[in-house]
Amino acid sequence: MPAARKDAFSPEEQQLAALARALSHPARIAILRELAQHNTCICGEIVSALPLSQSTVSQHLHVLLEAGLIQGTVDGPRSCYCLNTSAINAFGSALGDFFQTLGNQQCC
Amino acid sequence: MPAARKDAFSPEEQQLAALARALSHPARIAILRELAQHNTCICGEIVSALPLSQSTVSQHLHVLLEAGLIQGTVDGPRSCYCLNTSAINAFGSALGDFFQTLGNQQCC
DNA sequence: TCATTTTATCGTAAAAATACGATAATAAAA
DNA sequence: TTTTATTATCGTATTTTTACGATAAAATGA
């Protein structure tokens, strides 16, 4: 990627792509599932639930945070993450809209 | 990624992540949009519609093909792509199910 | 037949993602 | 205060992604 060409696309396309990228690793799918299973916030049990090292899980959590899909209250040693349901629902409907504009085609 | 850890996750998580990865670049979002606008198949007008070189667009098309989101009939000089609507709809509902399991949480 | 047009592929380079160990930081517990 | 437990960050290595130019392939048109 000798030059970042992403800025040559529309904001909508960039946003949709950025959110899809946040979901583009099975570990992050698994983290979201894990957070959804515990309806209360979770801390480091995520690490035990995943086949990855602590630092790697922390990286994936950071990606999900940056994308806005989860929230985290970093209170000292015991940080606590949870789903950002409003962002998740917004993303879900944005994706739904996108798929709807695609799905009604008759082609080939 | 000193070792491919993706196989340590469930097939569902891998599939969902793989499809999200196919959407994780604005060029590929734009390609899908472009294919949807022309309800007939399109060939190389995609290249003119995108701010990328021909070989790069071809690579993105290959990614979308691999993911099954588009179909391509490579008939000689003039290959023809179109949306794979069934795969797109299947992906859309899979994502919808995933978001539904996430969206009903009350947390933090 | 030969040129032209269109597209895929190859080779390459740079950037980003992924993963881990080691370390730092921070609050609670002893 | 010192220790312990938990988590983020740093440094690094490897892989993958992204991008382009150049080339090859393949059918159409002259």
Side-chain angles (χ1 to χ4, degrees):
Chain A
M1 191 200 298
R5 294 260 133 180
K6 294 188 179 178
D7 48 321
F9 295 91
S10 79
E12 289 83 14
E13 288 162 346
Q14 290 186 51
Q15 263 185 352
L16 216 50
L19 284 168
R21 180 172 293 273
L23 297 182
S24 72
H25 195 287
R28 295 197 283 270
I29 301 280
I31 288 175
L32 292 176
R33 280 232 175 94
E34 189 70 18
L35 286 174
Q37 279 184 358
H38 304 68
N39 49 4
T40 168
C41 287
I42 248 189
C43 319
E45 295 107 337
I46 306 175
V47 175
S48 347
L50 294 194
L52 295 171
S53 75
Q54 182 264 323
S55 57
T56 302
V57 171
S58 194
Q59 265 187 343
H60 284 301
L61 285 167
H62 185 71
V63 172
L64 290 170
L65 263 179
E66 285 289 302
L69 293 175
I70 66 176
Q71 296 173 315
T73 59
V74 191
D75 48 352
R78 201 163 316 253
S79 40
C80 182
Y81 288 101
C82 63
L83 298 178
N84 185 346
T85 52
S86 64
I88 285 175
N89 287 327
F91 183 23
S93 58
L95 265 182
D97 292 351
F98 177 63
F99 277 104
Q100 204 146 28
T101 67
L102 297 185
N104 298 333
Q105 295 302 320
Q106 206 71 11
C107 177
C108 288
Chain B
M1 198 198 298
R5 295 258 133 182
K6 294 189 180 178
D7 48 324
F9 295 90
S10 79
E12 289 85 12
E13 288 162 346
Q14 290 185 53
Q15 264 185 352
L16 217 49
L19 285 169
R21 180 173 293 273
L23 297 182
S24 72
H25 195 287
R28 295 195 284 271
I29 301 280
I31 288 174
L32 293 176
R33 280 234 175 94
E34 190 70 18
L35 287 174
Q37 278 184 358
H38 303 68
N39 49 4
T40 168
C41 287
I42 249 190
C43 320
E45 296 108 335
I46 306 175
V47 175
S48 346
L50 293 195
L52 296 171
S53 74
Q54 181 264 324
S55 56
T56 301
V57 171
S58 194
Q59 265 187 342
H60 284 301
L61 285 168
H62 185 72
V63 172
L64 289 170
L65 262 179
E66 284 289 300
L69 292 175
I70 66 176
Q71 296 173 314
T73 60
V74 191
D75 48 352
R78 201 161 317 252
S79 39
C80 182
Y81 289 101
C82 64
L83 298 178
N84 185 345
T85 53
S86 63
I88 284 175
N89 287 327
F91 184 23
S93 57
L95 264 183
D97 292 352
F98 177 64
F99 277 105
Q100 203 146 30
T101 66
L102 297 185
N104 298 332
Q105 295 302 321
Q106 206 70 12
C107 179
C108 291

